Coordinates of all heavy atoms in Angstrom, one line a residue:
M1 N -37.0 23.1 -63.0 CA -36.5 22.3 -62.0 C -37.2 20.9 -62.0 O -36.6 19.9 -61.7 CB -36.5 23.0 -60.7 CG -35.5 22.6 -59.7 SD -33.9 22.7 -60.3 CE -33.1 22.4 -58.9
A2 N -38.5 21.0 -62.1 CA -39.3 19.8 -62.0 C -39.0 18.8 -63.2 O -38.9 17.6 -63.0 CB -40.8 20.1 -62.1
V3 N -38.7 19.3 -64.4 CA -38.4 18.5 -65.5 C -37.0 17.8 -65.3 O -36.9 16.6 -65.6 CB -38.4 19.3 -66.8 CG1 -37.8 18.5 -68.0 CG2 -39.7 19.8 -67.1
V4 N -36.1 18.5 -64.8 CA -34.7 18.0 -64.5 C -34.9 16.9 -63.4 O -34.3 15.8 -63.5 CB -33.8 19.1 -64.0 CG1 -32.5 18.5 -63.5 CG2 -33.5 20.0 -65.2
G5 N -35.7 17.2 -62.4 CA -35.9 16.2 -61.3 C -36.6 14.9 -61.8 O -36.2 13.8 -61.5
Y6 N -37.5 15.1 -62.7 CA -38.2 13.9 -63.4 C -37.2 13.1 -64.1 O -37.2 11.8 -63.9 CB -39.3 14.5 -64.3 CG -40.0 13.4 -65.1 CD1 -41.0 12.6 -64.6 CD2 -39.6 13.1 -66.4 CE1 -41.6 11.6 -65.3 CE2 -40.2 12.1 -67.2 CZ -41.2 11.4 -66.6 OH -41.8 10.4 -67.3
F7 N -36.4 13.7 -64.9 CA -35.4 12.9 -65.7 C -34.3 12.3 -64.8 O -33.9 11.2 -65.1 CB -34.8 13.7 -66.8 CG -35.8 13.9 -68.0 CD1 -36.3 15.2 -68.3 CD2 -36.1 12.8 -68.8 CE1 -37.2 15.3 -69.3 CE2 -37.0 13.0 -69.9 CZ -37.5 14.3 -70.1
A8 N -33.9 13.0 -63.8 CA -32.9 12.5 -62.9 C -33.5 11.2 -62.1 O -32.8 10.2 -62.0 CB -32.5 13.5 -61.9
Y9 N -34.7 11.3 -61.7 CA -35.3 10.2 -61.0 C -35.4 9.0 -61.9 O -35.0 7.9 -61.5 CB -36.7 10.6 -60.5 CG -37.5 9.4 -59.9 CD1 -37.2 9.0 -58.6 CD2 -38.5 8.7 -60.7 CE1 -37.9 7.9 -58.1 CE2 -39.1 7.6 -60.2 CZ -38.9 7.2 -58.9 OH -39.5 6.2 -58.4
H10 N -35.9 9.1 -63.1 CA -36.0 8.0 -64.0 C -34.7 7.5 -64.5 O -34.6 6.3 -65.0 CB -37.0 8.4 -65.2 CG -38.4 8.4 -64.8 ND1 -39.1 7.2 -64.5 CD2 -39.3 9.4 -64.5 CE1 -40.3 7.5 -64.1 NE2 -40.4 8.8 -64.1
T11 N -33.6 8.3 -64.5 CA -32.3 7.9 -64.9 C -31.8 6.9 -63.8 O -31.1 5.9 -64.2 CB -31.3 9.1 -64.9 OG1 -31.8 10.0 -65.9 CG2 -29.9 8.6 -65.3
V12 N -32.2 7.1 -62.6 CA -31.7 6.2 -61.5 C -32.7 5.0 -61.3 O -32.3 3.9 -61.2 CB -31.5 7.0 -60.2 CG1 -31.1 6.0 -59.1 CG2 -30.4 8.0 -60.4
Q13 N -34.0 5.3 -61.2 CA -35.0 4.3 -60.7 C -35.9 3.8 -61.9 O -36.6 2.8 -61.6 CB -36.0 5.0 -59.7 CG -35.3 5.4 -58.5 CD -34.8 4.3 -57.6 OE1 -35.4 3.2 -57.7 NE2 -33.8 4.5 -56.9
G14 N -35.8 4.2 -63.1 CA -36.6 3.8 -64.1 C -36.4 2.3 -64.6 O -35.5 1.6 -64.1
D15 N -37.2 1.9 -65.5 CA -37.1 0.5 -66.0 C -35.8 0.3 -66.6 O -35.3 -0.9 -66.6 CB -38.2 0.3 -67.1 CG -39.6 0.2 -66.5 OD1 -39.7 0.0 -65.2 OD2 -40.6 0.4 -67.2
R16 N -35.2 1.3 -67.2 CA -33.8 1.1 -67.8 C -32.8 2.0 -67.1 O -31.8 2.4 -67.7 CB -33.9 1.5 -69.3 CG -34.7 0.5 -70.1 CD -34.7 0.8 -71.5 NE -35.4 -0.3 -72.3 CZ -36.6 -0.2 -72.6 NH1 -37.4 0.8 -72.3 NH2 -37.2 -1.2 -73.3
G17 N -33.0 2.3 -65.8 CA -32.2 3.1 -65.0 C -31.0 2.4 -64.5 O -30.7 1.2 -64.8
L18 N -30.2 3.1 -63.6 CA -29.0 2.6 -63.1 C -29.2 1.4 -62.1 O -28.5 0.4 -62.1 CB -28.2 3.7 -62.4 CG -27.7 4.8 -63.3 CD1 -27.1 5.9 -62.4 CD2 -26.8 4.3 -64.3
V19 N -30.3 1.4 -61.4 CA -30.7 0.3 -60.5 C -31.0 -0.9 -61.3 O -30.5 -2.0 -61.0 CB -31.8 0.7 -59.5 CG1 -32.3 -0.5 -58.7 CG2 -31.4 1.9 -58.7
A20 N -31.8 -0.8 -62.3 CA -32.1 -1.9 -63.2 C -30.8 -2.5 -63.9 O -30.7 -3.7 -64.0 CB -33.1 -1.5 -64.2
L21 N -29.9 -1.6 -64.3 CA -28.7 -2.0 -64.9 C -27.9 -2.8 -63.9 O -27.3 -3.9 -64.3 CB -27.9 -0.8 -65.4 CG -26.5 -1.1 -66.0 CD1 -26.6 -1.9 -67.2 CD2 -25.7 0.2 -66.2
T22 N -27.8 -2.4 -62.7 CA -27.0 -3.1 -61.7 C -27.6 -4.5 -61.5 O -26.9 -5.5 -61.3 CB -27.0 -2.4 -60.4 OG1 -26.8 -1.0 -60.6 CG2 -25.8 -2.9 -59.5
H23 N -29.0 -4.6 -61.4 CA -29.7 -5.8 -61.2 C -29.4 -6.8 -62.4 O -29.1 -8.0 -62.2 CB -31.2 -5.6 -61.1 CG -32.0 -6.8 -60.9 ND1 -31.9 -7.6 -59.8 CD2 -32.9 -7.4 -61.7 CE1 -32.7 -8.6 -59.9 NE2 -33.3 -8.5 -61.1
L24 N -29.5 -6.3 -63.6 CA -29.2 -7.1 -64.8 C -27.8 -7.6 -64.8 O -27.5 -8.7 -65.2 CB -29.5 -6.3 -66.1 CG -31.0 -6.1 -66.4 CD1 -31.2 -5.2 -67.6 CD2 -31.7 -7.4 -66.6
Q25 N -26.8 -6.8 -64.4 CA -25.4 -7.2 -64.4 C -25.2 -8.3 -63.4 O -24.5 -9.3 -63.7 CB -24.5 -6.0 -64.1 CG -24.4 -5.0 -65.2 CD -23.6 -3.8 -64.8 OE1 -23.5 -3.4 -63.7 NE2 -23.1 -3.1 -65.8
G26 N -25.9 -8.3 -62.3 CA -25.9 -9.3 -61.3 C -26.4 -10.6 -61.9 O -25.9 -11.7 -61.7
E27 N -27.6 -10.5 -62.6 CA -28.1 -11.7 -63.2 C -27.2 -12.3 -64.3 O -27.1 -13.5 -64.4 CB -29.5 -11.4 -63.8 CG -30.6 -11.2 -62.8 CD -31.9 -10.9 -63.5 OE1 -32.0 -11.0 -64.8 OE2 -32.9 -10.5 -62.8
V28 N -26.5 -11.5 -65.0 CA -25.6 -11.9 -66.1 C -24.4 -12.7 -65.4 O -24.0 -13.7 -65.9 CB -25.1 -10.8 -66.9 CG1 -23.9 -11.2 -67.8 CG2 -26.2 -10.2 -67.8
S29 N -23.9 -12.1 -64.3 CA -22.8 -12.8 -63.7 C -23.2 -14.2 -63.1 O -22.5 -15.1 -63.2 CB -22.2 -11.9 -62.6 OG -23.1 -11.7 -61.5
E30 N -24.4 -14.2 -62.5 CA -24.9 -15.5 -62.0 C -25.1 -16.5 -63.2 O -24.8 -17.7 -63.1 CB -26.3 -15.3 -61.3 CG -26.2 -14.7 -60.0 CD -27.6 -14.4 -59.4 OE1 -28.6 -15.0 -59.9 OE2 -27.6 -13.7 -58.4
A31 N -25.6 -16.0 -64.3 CA -25.8 -16.9 -65.5 C -24.4 -17.4 -66.0 O -24.3 -18.5 -66.5 CB -26.5 -16.2 -66.6
Q32 N -23.4 -16.6 -66.0 CA -22.1 -17.0 -66.4 C -21.5 -18.0 -65.5 O -20.8 -19.0 -66.0 CB -21.1 -15.7 -66.5 CG -21.5 -14.8 -67.7 CD -20.6 -13.6 -67.7 OE1 -20.1 -13.2 -66.6 NE2 -20.5 -13.0 -68.8
V33 N -21.7 -17.9 -64.2 CA -21.2 -18.9 -63.3 C -22.0 -20.3 -63.5 O -21.3 -21.3 -63.6 CB -21.5 -18.5 -61.8 CG1 -21.3 -19.6 -60.8 CG2 -20.6 -17.3 -61.5
T34 N -23.3 -20.2 -63.8 CA -24.0 -21.4 -64.1 C -23.5 -22.0 -65.4 O -23.4 -23.2 -65.5 CB -25.5 -21.1 -64.2 OG1 -26.0 -20.5 -63.0 CG2 -26.3 -22.3 -64.5
L35 N -23.3 -21.2 -66.4 CA -22.8 -21.7 -67.7 C -21.4 -22.4 -67.5 O -21.2 -23.4 -68.1 CB -22.6 -20.5 -68.6 CG -22.0 -20.8 -70.0 CD1 -22.9 -21.8 -70.8 CD2 -21.8 -19.6 -70.8
A36 N -20.6 -21.8 -66.7 CA -19.2 -22.5 -66.4 C -19.4 -23.8 -65.8 O -18.7 -24.8 -66.2 CB -18.4 -21.6 -65.6
H37 N -20.3 -24.0 -64.8 CA -20.6 -25.3 -64.2 C -21.1 -26.3 -65.2 O -20.7 -27.4 -65.2 CB -21.5 -25.1 -63.0 CG -20.9 -24.4 -61.8 ND1 -19.9 -24.9 -61.1 CD2 -21.3 -23.3 -61.2 CE1 -19.6 -24.1 -60.1 NE2 -20.4 -23.1 -60.2
V38 N -22.1 -25.8 -66.0 CA -22.7 -26.7 -67.0 C -21.7 -27.1 -68.0 O -21.6 -28.3 -68.4 CB -23.9 -26.0 -67.6 CG1 -24.4 -26.8 -68.8 CG2 -25.0 -25.9 -66.6
R39 N -20.8 -26.2 -68.5 CA -19.8 -26.6 -69.4 C -18.8 -27.6 -68.9 O -18.4 -28.6 -69.5 CB -19.0 -25.3 -69.9 CG -19.7 -24.6 -70.9 CD -18.8 -23.4 -71.5 NE -19.5 -22.7 -72.5 CZ -19.2 -21.5 -72.9 NH1 -18.2 -20.9 -72.3 NH2 -19.9 -20.9 -73.9
A40 N -18.4 -27.4 -67.6 CA -17.5 -28.4 -67.0 C -18.1 -29.7 -66.9 O -17.5 -30.8 -67.1 CB -17.1 -27.9 -65.6
E41 N -19.4 -29.8 -66.5 CA -20.1 -31.0 -66.4 C -20.3 -31.7 -67.8 O -20.1 -32.9 -67.9 CB -21.5 -30.8 -65.8 CG -22.3 -32.0 -65.6 CD -23.7 -31.7 -64.9 OE1 -23.9 -30.6 -64.4 OE2 -24.5 -32.6 -65.0
R42 N -20.6 -30.9 -68.8 CA -20.7 -31.5 -70.2 C -19.3 -32.0 -70.6 O -19.3 -33.1 -71.2 CB -21.2 -30.4 -71.1 CG -21.4 -31.0 -72.5 CD -21.5 -30.0 -73.6 NE -20.2 -29.6 -73.9 CZ -19.8 -28.3 -74.2 NH1 -20.7 -27.3 -74.2 NH2 -18.6 -28.0 -74.5
E43 N -18.2 -31.3 -70.4 CA -16.9 -31.8 -70.8 C -16.6 -33.1 -70.1 O -16.0 -34.0 -70.7 CB -15.9 -30.7 -70.5 CG -16.0 -29.5 -71.5 CD -15.1 -28.3 -71.1 OE1 -14.4 -28.4 -70.0 OE2 -15.1 -27.3 -71.8
E44 N -16.9 -33.2 -68.8 CA -16.7 -34.4 -68.1 C -17.5 -35.6 -68.7 O -16.9 -36.7 -68.8 CB -17.0 -34.2 -66.6 CG -16.9 -35.5 -65.8 CD -15.5 -36.0 -65.7 OE1 -14.5 -35.3 -65.9 OE2 -15.3 -37.2 -65.4
M45 N -18.7 -35.3 -69.0 CA -19.5 -36.4 -69.6 C -19.0 -36.7 -71.0 O -19.0 -37.9 -71.3 CB -21.0 -35.9 -69.8 CG -21.8 -35.8 -68.5 SD -23.4 -35.3 -68.9 CE -24.1 -35.1 -67.3
E46 N -18.5 -35.8 -71.8 CA -18.0 -36.1 -73.1 C -16.7 -36.9 -72.9 O -16.4 -37.8 -73.7 CB -17.7 -34.8 -73.8 CG -18.9 -34.1 -74.4 CD -18.6 -32.8 -75.1 OE1 -17.4 -32.3 -75.0 OE2 -19.5 -32.2 -75.7
R47 N -15.9 -36.6 -71.9 CA -14.6 -37.3 -71.7 C -15.0 -38.8 -71.4 O -14.4 -39.7 -71.9 CB -13.8 -36.7 -70.6 CG -12.5 -37.3 -70.4 CD -11.8 -36.8 -69.1 NE -12.5 -37.1 -67.9 CZ -12.5 -38.3 -67.3 NH1 -11.8 -39.3 -67.8 NH2 -13.1 -38.5 -66.2
R48 N -16.0 -39.0 -70.5 CA -16.3 -40.3 -70.1 C -17.0 -41.1 -71.3 O -16.8 -42.3 -71.4 CB -17.3 -40.3 -68.9 CG -16.6 -39.8 -67.6 CD -17.5 -39.7 -66.5 NE -18.2 -40.9 -66.1 CZ -17.8 -41.8 -65.2 NH1 -16.7 -41.5 -64.6 NH2 -18.5 -42.8 -65.0
A49 N -17.8 -40.4 -72.1 CA -18.4 -41.0 -73.2 C -17.4 -41.4 -74.3 O -17.5 -42.5 -74.9 CB -19.4 -40.1 -73.9
K50 N -16.3 -40.6 -74.4 CA -15.2 -40.9 -75.3 C -14.6 -42.3 -75.0 O -14.2 -43.0 -75.8 CB -14.2 -39.8 -75.4 CG -13.1 -40.1 -76.4 CD -12.0 -39.1 -76.3 CE -12.4 -37.7 -76.9 NZ -11.3 -36.8 -76.9
L51 N -14.5 -42.6 -73.7 CA -13.9 -43.8 -73.2 C -14.7 -45.0 -73.6 O -14.2 -46.2 -73.5 CB -13.6 -43.8 -71.7 CG -12.6 -42.7 -71.2 CD1 -12.6 -42.7 -69.7 CD2 -11.2 -43.0 -71.8
L52 N -16.0 -44.8 -73.9 CA -16.9 -46.0 -74.2 C -17.1 -46.1 -75.7 O -17.8 -47.0 -76.1 CB -18.2 -45.8 -73.6 CG -18.2 -45.9 -72.0 CD1 -19.6 -45.5 -71.5 CD2 -17.8 -47.3 -71.6
R53 N -16.4 -45.3 -76.6 CA -16.6 -45.5 -78.0 C -15.9 -46.8 -78.5 O -14.8 -47.1 -77.9 CB -16.0 -44.3 -78.7 CG -16.8 -43.0 -78.4 CD -16.6 -42.0 -79.5 NE -17.5 -40.9 -79.2 CZ -17.1 -39.6 -78.9 NH1 -15.8 -39.4 -78.9 NH2 -17.9 -38.7 -78.7
P54 N -16.4 -47.4 -79.5 CA -15.9 -48.7 -79.9 C -14.4 -48.6 -80.4 O -13.6 -49.6 -80.2 CB -16.8 -49.1 -81.1 CG -18.0 -48.4 -80.9 CD -17.7 -47.1 -80.2
D55 N -14.0 -47.5 -81.0 CA -12.6 -47.4 -81.5 C -11.6 -47.1 -80.3 O -10.4 -47.2 -80.5 CB -12.5 -46.3 -82.5 CG -13.0 -44.9 -82.0 OD1 -13.8 -44.9 -81.1 OD2 -12.5 -43.9 -82.6
N56 N -12.1 -46.7 -79.2 CA -11.3 -46.4 -78.0 C -11.9 -46.9 -76.7 O -12.1 -46.1 -75.8 CB -11.0 -44.9 -78.0 CG -10.0 -44.5 -77.0 OD1 -9.2 -45.3 -76.6 ND2 -10.1 -43.2 -76.5
L57 N -12.2 -48.1 -76.6 CA -12.9 -48.7 -75.5 C -12.0 -48.9 -74.3 O -11.0 -49.6 -74.4 CB -13.6 -50.0 -75.9 CG -14.5 -50.7 -74.9 CD1 -15.6 -49.7 -74.6 CD2 -15.0 -52.0 -75.4
D58 N -12.3 -48.3 -73.2 CA -11.6 -48.5 -72.0 C -12.2 -49.6 -71.1 O -13.4 -49.4 -70.7 CB -11.5 -47.2 -71.2 CG -10.7 -47.3 -69.9 OD1 -9.8 -48.1 -69.8 OD2 -11.0 -46.5 -69.0
P59 N -11.5 -50.7 -70.9 CA -12.2 -51.8 -70.1 C -12.7 -51.4 -68.8 O -13.7 -51.9 -68.3 CB -11.1 -52.9 -70.1 CG -10.0 -52.5 -71.0 CD -10.2 -51.0 -71.3
D60 N -11.9 -50.6 -68.1 CA -12.4 -50.2 -66.7 C -13.7 -49.4 -66.8 O -14.5 -49.5 -65.9 CB -11.3 -49.3 -66.0 CG -10.0 -50.2 -65.7 OD1 -10.2 -51.4 -65.5 OD2 -8.9 -49.6 -65.6
M61 N -13.8 -48.5 -67.7 CA -15.0 -47.7 -67.9 C -16.2 -48.6 -68.3 O -17.3 -48.4 -67.8 CB -14.8 -46.6 -68.9 CG -16.0 -45.7 -69.1 SD -16.5 -44.8 -67.6 CE -15.2 -43.6 -67.5
L62 N -15.9 -49.5 -69.1 CA -17.0 -50.5 -69.5 C -17.5 -51.3 -68.3 O -18.7 -51.4 -68.1 CB -16.5 -51.4 -70.6 CG -17.4 -52.4 -71.1 CD1 -18.6 -51.8 -71.8 CD2 -16.8 -53.4 -72.1
E63 N -16.5 -51.8 -67.5 CA -16.9 -52.5 -66.3 C -17.7 -51.6 -65.3 O -18.7 -52.1 -64.8 CB -15.7 -53.1 -65.6 CG -16.0 -53.9 -64.4 CD -14.8 -54.5 -63.7 OE1 -13.7 -54.3 -64.2 OE2 -15.0 -55.2 -62.7
E64 N -17.3 -50.4 -65.2 CA -17.9 -49.5 -64.3 C -19.4 -49.2 -64.7 O -20.3 -49.3 -63.9 CB -17.2 -48.2 -64.2 CG -17.9 -47.1 -63.3 CD -17.2 -45.8 -63.4 OE1 -16.0 -45.7 -63.7 OE2 -17.9 -44.8 -63.2
R65 N -19.6 -48.9 -66.0 CA -20.9 -48.7 -66.5 C -21.8 -49.9 -66.4 O -23.0 -49.9 -66.1 CB -20.9 -48.2 -67.9 CG -20.3 -46.8 -68.1 CD -20.9 -45.7 -67.3 NE -22.3 -45.7 -67.4 CZ -23.2 -45.3 -66.5 NH1 -22.8 -44.8 -65.4 NH2 -24.5 -45.3 -66.8
A66 N -21.2 -51.1 -66.7 CA -22.0 -52.3 -66.6 C -22.4 -52.6 -65.2 O -23.6 -53.0 -64.9 CB -21.2 -53.5 -67.1
R67 N -21.6 -52.4 -64.2 CA -21.9 -52.6 -62.8 C -23.0 -51.6 -62.4 O -24.0 -52.0 -61.7 CB -20.7 -52.4 -61.9 CG -19.7 -53.5 -62.0 CD -18.5 -53.1 -61.1 NE -17.6 -54.2 -61.2 CZ -17.1 -54.8 -60.1 NH1 -17.4 -54.3 -58.9 NH2 -16.2 -55.7 -60.2
V68 N -23.0 -50.4 -62.8 CA -24.0 -49.4 -62.5 C -25.3 -49.7 -63.1 O -26.4 -49.7 -62.4 CB -23.5 -47.9 -62.9 CG1 -24.7 -47.0 -62.7 CG2 -22.4 -47.5 -62.0
L69 N -25.3 -50.1 -64.4 CA -26.6 -50.4 -65.1 C -27.2 -51.7 -64.6 O -28.4 -51.8 -64.5 CB -26.3 -50.4 -66.6 CG -26.0 -49.0 -67.2 CD1 -25.6 -49.2 -68.7 CD2 -27.1 -48.1 -67.0
L70 N -26.3 -52.7 -64.3 CA -26.9 -54.0 -63.9 C -27.0 -54.1 -62.4 O -27.6 -55.0 -61.9 CB -25.9 -55.1 -64.4 CG -25.8 -55.2 -65.9 CD1 -24.8 -56.3 -66.3 CD2 -27.2 -55.5 -66.6
N71 N -26.5 -53.1 -61.7 CA -26.6 -53.1 -60.2 C -26.0 -54.4 -59.6 O -26.6 -55.1 -58.8 CB -28.0 -53.0 -59.8 CG -28.1 -52.5 -58.4 OD1 -27.2 -51.9 -57.8 ND2 -29.3 -52.7 -57.7
M72 N -24.8 -54.8 -60.1 CA -24.2 -56.0 -59.6 C -22.8 -55.7 -59.1 O -22.1 -54.8 -59.4 CB -24.0 -57.0 -60.8 CG -25.3 -57.4 -61.5 SD -26.3 -58.5 -60.6 CE -25.4 -60.0 -60.8
T73 N -22.4 -56.6 -58.2 CA -21.0 -56.6 -57.6 C -20.5 -58.0 -57.5 O -21.2 -58.9 -57.7 CB -21.0 -56.0 -56.2 OG1 -21.7 -56.8 -55.3 CG2 -21.5 -54.6 -56.2
H74 N -19.2 -58.1 -57.3 CA -18.6 -59.4 -57.0 C -18.9 -59.8 -55.6 O -19.1 -58.9 -54.7 CB -17.1 -59.4 -57.2 CG -16.7 -59.2 -58.7 ND1 -16.9 -60.1 -59.6 CD2 -16.1 -58.2 -59.3 CE1 -16.4 -59.7 -60.8 NE2 -15.9 -58.5 -60.6
P75 N -19.0 -61.1 -55.3 CA -19.4 -61.5 -54.0 C -18.4 -61.1 -52.9 O -18.8 -60.9 -51.8 CB -19.4 -63.1 -54.1 CG -19.6 -63.3 -55.5 CD -18.9 -62.2 -56.3
D76 N -17.1 -60.9 -53.2 CA -16.1 -60.6 -52.2 C -15.9 -59.1 -52.1 O -15.0 -58.6 -51.4 CB -14.8 -61.3 -52.6 CG -14.2 -60.8 -53.9 OD1 -15.0 -60.3 -54.7 OD2 -13.0 -61.1 -54.1
E77 N -16.7 -58.2 -52.7 CA -16.6 -56.8 -52.7 C -17.4 -56.2 -51.5 O -18.4 -56.7 -51.2 CB -17.0 -56.1 -54.0 CG -16.0 -56.4 -55.1 CD -16.4 -55.7 -56.4 OE1 -17.6 -55.4 -56.6 OE2 -15.5 -55.5 -57.2
L78 N -16.9 -55.1 -51.0 CA -17.6 -54.4 -49.9 C -18.2 -53.1 -50.6 O -17.5 -52.4 -51.2 CB -16.6 -54.0 -48.8 CG -17.2 -53.2 -47.7 CD1 -18.2 -54.0 -46.9 CD2 -16.0 -52.7 -46.8
V79 N -19.5 -52.9 -50.3 CA -20.2 -51.7 -50.8 C -20.3 -50.7 -49.7 O -20.8 -51.0 -48.7 CB -21.6 -52.1 -51.4 CG1 -22.4 -50.9 -51.8 CG2 -21.5 -53.1 -52.5
V80 N -19.8 -49.5 -50.0 CA -19.9 -48.4 -49.0 C -20.9 -47.4 -49.5 O -20.8 -46.8 -50.6 CB -18.5 -47.7 -48.9 CG1 -18.6 -46.5 -48.0 CG2 -17.4 -48.7 -48.5
L81 N -22.0 -47.3 -48.7 CA -23.1 -46.3 -49.1 C -22.7 -45.0 -48.5 O -22.4 -44.8 -47.3 CB -24.4 -46.8 -48.5 CG -24.9 -48.2 -49.0 CD1 -26.1 -48.6 -48.3 CD2 -25.0 -48.1 -50.5
L82 N -22.8 -44.0 -49.3 CA -22.4 -42.6 -48.9 C -23.7 -41.9 -48.4 O -24.8 -42.1 -48.9 CB -21.9 -41.8 -50.1 CG -20.6 -42.4 -50.7 CD1 -20.2 -41.6 -51.9 CD2 -19.5 -42.4 -49.7
P83 N -23.6 -41.1 -47.4 CA -24.7 -40.4 -46.9 C -25.3 -39.4 -47.9 O -24.6 -38.8 -48.7 CB -24.2 -39.6 -45.7 CG -22.7 -39.6 -45.8 CD -22.4 -40.7 -46.7
G84 N -26.6 -39.3 -47.9 CA -27.3 -38.4 -48.9 C -27.6 -39.1 -50.2 O -28.2 -38.5 -51.1
R85 N -27.2 -40.3 -50.4 CA -27.5 -41.0 -51.7 C -28.4 -42.2 -51.3 O -28.2 -42.9 -50.3 CB -26.2 -41.5 -52.3 CG -25.3 -40.4 -52.8 CD -24.2 -40.9 -53.6 NE -23.3 -39.9 -54.0 CZ -22.2 -40.0 -54.7 NH1 -21.9 -41.2 -55.1 NH2 -21.5 -39.0 -55.0
P86 N -29.4 -42.5 -52.2 CA -30.2 -43.6 -52.0 C -29.5 -44.9 -52.1 O -28.6 -45.1 -52.9 CB -31.3 -43.5 -53.0 CG -30.7 -42.7 -54.1 CD -29.7 -41.8 -53.5
A87 N -29.9 -45.9 -51.3 CA -29.3 -47.2 -51.3 C -29.7 -47.9 -52.6 O -30.9 -47.7 -53.1 CB -29.8 -48.0 -50.1
P88 N -28.8 -48.6 -53.3 CA -29.2 -49.3 -54.5 C -30.2 -50.4 -54.2 O -30.2 -51.1 -53.2 CB -27.8 -49.9 -55.0 CG -26.9 -49.8 -53.8 CD -27.4 -48.8 -52.9
Q89 N -31.1 -50.6 -55.1 CA -32.2 -51.6 -55.0 C -31.7 -52.9 -55.6 O -31.3 -52.9 -56.8 CB -33.5 -51.1 -55.6 CG -34.0 -49.9 -55.0 CD -34.4 -50.1 -53.5 OE1 -34.9 -51.1 -53.2 NE2 -34.0 -49.1 -52.7
S90 N -31.8 -54.0 -54.9 CA -31.4 -55.3 -55.5 C -32.6 -55.9 -56.2 O -33.7 -56.1 -55.6 CB -31.0 -56.2 -54.4 OG -30.7 -57.5 -54.9
T91 N -32.5 -56.2 -57.5 CA -33.6 -56.8 -58.3 C -33.3 -58.2 -58.7 O -34.1 -58.9 -59.2 CB -33.8 -55.9 -59.5 OG1 -32.6 -55.9 -60.3 CG2 -34.3 -54.5 -59.2
Q92 N -32.0 -58.6 -58.5 CA -31.6 -60.0 -58.9 C -30.9 -60.6 -57.8 O -30.3 -60.0 -56.9 CB -30.7 -59.9 -60.2 CG -31.3 -59.2 -61.4 CD -30.3 -59.1 -62.5 OE1 -29.2 -59.6 -62.4 NE2 -30.6 -58.3 -63.5
G93 N -30.9 -62.0 -57.8 CA -30.1 -62.7 -56.8 C -28.7 -62.4 -57.0 O -28.2 -62.3 -58.2
G94 N -27.9 -62.2 -56.0 CA -26.4 -62.0 -56.1 C -26.1 -60.5 -56.5 O -25.1 -60.2 -56.9
A95 N -27.1 -59.7 -56.4 CA -26.9 -58.3 -56.7 C -26.2 -57.6 -55.6 O -25.6 -58.3 -54.8 CB -28.2 -57.6 -57.0
V96 N -26.2 -56.3 -55.5 CA -25.5 -55.5 -54.5 C -25.7 -56.1 -53.1 O -26.8 -56.3 -52.7 CB -25.9 -54.1 -54.6 CG1 -25.2 -53.3 -53.5 CG2 -25.6 -53.5 -55.9
T97 N -24.6 -56.3 -52.4 CA -24.6 -56.8 -51.1 C -24.1 -55.7 -50.2 O -23.2 -55.0 -50.5 CB -23.8 -58.1 -50.8 OG1 -22.5 -57.8 -51.2 CG2 -24.4 -59.2 -51.7
N98 N -24.7 -55.5 -49.0 CA -24.3 -54.5 -48.1 C -23.8 -55.2 -46.8 O -24.6 -55.8 -46.1 CB -25.4 -53.5 -47.8 CG -25.0 -52.3 -47.0 OD1 -23.8 -52.2 -46.8 ND2 -25.9 -51.5 -46.6
R99 N -22.5 -55.1 -46.6 CA -22.0 -55.8 -45.4 C -21.7 -54.8 -44.3 O -21.3 -53.8 -44.4 CB -20.6 -56.5 -45.7 CG -20.8 -57.5 -46.8 CD -19.5 -58.2 -47.0 NE -19.6 -58.9 -48.2 CZ -18.6 -59.6 -48.8 NH1 -17.4 -59.6 -48.2 NH2 -18.7 -60.2 -49.9

């Protein structure tokens, strides 16, 4: 009886038992969710990068990236700062204005 009890205990609680299997399955499902998020983010980045390729240049995307990198706006534009995001730093005259 003791031998059967020993093996039954380790079948459920051991390093490779049912409890460990359930824990590993939970980790796998979390990793799959993370993978799906990362894939979606990568596909979005690839889509945006495709718009900047010389053979297929999108003028709107080019202007957007130039504004972000140079931190510039037109004088008549209104900049709306969203909560939780840092305010852009002005390094040049005529850079981002906050009205």
Side-chain angles (χ1 to χ4, degrees):
M1 203 56 174
V3 172
V4 171
Y6 173 82
F7 284 112
Y9 173 79
H10 284 289
T11 299
V12 175
Q13 296 292 331
D15 290 341
R16 293 187 174 92
L18 297 175
V19 173
L21 175 64
T22 320
H23 179 69
L24 286 175
Q25 286 174 339
E27 287 182 11
V28 167
S29 65
E30 288 176 13
Q32 287 175 339
V33 168
T34 303
L35 177 63
H37 289 297
V38 169
R39 277 187 179 160
E41 184 178 341
R42 187 198 75 219
E43 289 171 359
E44 176 64 20
M45 286 181 185
E46 286 177 353
R47 184 188 66 77
R48 291 175 60 92
K50 184 188 281 187
L51 294 174
L52 292 173
R53 292 201 176 118
D55 59 334
N56 187 24
L57 186 61
D58 182 26
D60 292 333
M61 181 62 70
L62 179 63
E63 181 180 0
E64 175 186 334
R65 292 306 307 153
R67 285 176 181 232
V68 168
L69 293 174
L70 298 175
N71 199 21
M72 301 288 284
T73 63
H74 291 293
D76 61 343
E77 289 182 335
L78 177 66
V79 177
V80 177
L81 299 177
L82 300 175
R85 296 188 181 182
Q89 299 296 319
S90 175
T91 57
Q92 302 173 8
V96 174
T97 58
N98 189 5
R99 298 182 196 176

